[in-house]
Amino acid sequence: MRIIFVRHGHPNYDLDCLTSLGHKHGDAVAERLKDEPVEKIFSSTCGRAMETAEHIDKNFGLGVEGLEFMREIKWGSADGTPVYADGHPWQNSDYLVEQGKDLLDKTWRESEQYRNNRVTAASDLLGEGFDGWLEGLGYKREGDYYRVGKVRYGTIVLVSHGGASSAALAHLFNLPLPFVCSAICPDYTAVTVVALSEKDGALIAPKFEIMNDARHIAEIEEKKETVYA
């Protein structure tokens, strides 16, 4: 099975919808994916993600299934005590780099930047939801890997957010969230493709096919941003 991760287009965060520019991004990623053998489209239930998914679905007519667990993750102080950069995961990753810290440290949850940051529990909770969803698609978590069962689809699309998709990929590949946030800063409608073997009964690890491809919006004005959500 292949999972095509897509970040939403340019949003109006206050209204949780796409802007006119975001709809252009949606059209562009729909064109980018129109020849993919998509069998199912999933999306975060946030409006900006659902609208992006609906653009993609215009080429397939499959309908969009909402996933509550893929809504954007929260960050900030867990108990009201001030935290660096209000807990913003990308700024925290940048800070760790500036301090010469190891982004691959498996004990990242206990670090000063994350032990009192809501993003830690939120990303772990998303990982649990992601595993439950994958099990329903034919992949059951066993330790750090997945056991292949009855695979339901060949290629699916999952539209979500910068933080939620980073947390999902961190969990899927057993990588620390700070590393993923540093390594992958998805642009609007950026495409990341992950492949999972369909060998019945095998214990498998996922593989990247494509990472963070946003070339389809390269010619669209004002595509860049500084906030990932």
Side-chain angles (χ1 to χ4, degrees), residues 148-196:
V148 182
K150 185 177 181 180
V151 180
R152 293 180 58 190
Y153 304 107
T155 297
I156 61 176
V157 171
L158 174 55
V159 183
S160 64
H161 312 267
S165 61
S166 294
L169 291 169
H171 181 75
L172 190 60
F173 285 90
N174 303 302
L175 291 168
L177 181 64
F179 171 80
V180 176
C181 287
S182 177
I184 306 176
C185 299
D187 208 334
Y188 299 123
T189 64
V191 171
T192 294
V193 181
V194 173
L196 298 97

Side-chain angles (χ1 to χ4, degrees), residues 26-186:
D27 286 337
V29 74
E31 178 68 17
R32 160 74 174 78
L33 299 178
K34 69 178 184 179
D35 294 324
E36 292 282 354
V38 176
E39 298 175 51
K40 183 75 175 180
I41 300 174
F42 297 93
S43 174
S44 154
T45 54
C46 290
R48 56 194 184 272
M50 290 292 288
E51 290 185 6
T52 303
E54 288 164 1
H55 276 278
I56 296 169
D57 190 44
K58 289 176 183 177
N59 290 320
F60 301 103
L62 298 170
V64 178
E65 182 174 335
L67 300 175
E68 283 288 322
F69 73 87
M70 284 302 298
R71 293 178 68 87
E72 182 59 305
I73 56 177
K74 303 295 184 182
W75 54 78
S77 175
D79 63 6
T81 304
V83 292
Y84 178 79
D86 197 28
H88 191 277
W90 288 272
Q91 291 184 36
N92 273 277
S93 291
D94 290 343
Y95 177 78
L96 291 175
V97 172
E98 291 169 4
Q99 298 299 308
K101 302 295 185 181
D102 181 7
L103 290 178
L104 289 171
D105 183 358
K106 294 287 189 179
T107 66
W108 65 272
R109 292 172 178 80
E110 303 304 318
S111 69
E112 181 180 353
Q113 276 64 48
Y114 291 94
R115 62 175 175 263
N116 190 39
N117 190 336
R118 288 192 298 163
V119 75
T120 302
S123 63
D124 289 344
L125 186 62
L126 187 145
E128 292 177 11
F130 194 84
D131 278 347
W133 174 68
L134 270 186
E135 185 171 352
L137 299 177
Y139 296 89
K140 185 176 182 178
R141 185 89 175 193
E142 285 189 21
D144 289 339
Y145 305 110
Y146 293 87
R147 183 73 65 183
V148 182
K150 185 177 181 180
V151 180
R152 293 180 58 190
Y153 304 107
T155 297
I156 61 176
V157 171
L158 174 55
V159 183
S160 64
H161 312 267
S165 61
S166 294
L169 291 169
H171 181 75
L172 190 60
F173 285 90
N174 303 302
L175 291 168
L177 181 64
F179 171 80
V180 176
C181 287
S182 177
I184 306 176
C185 299

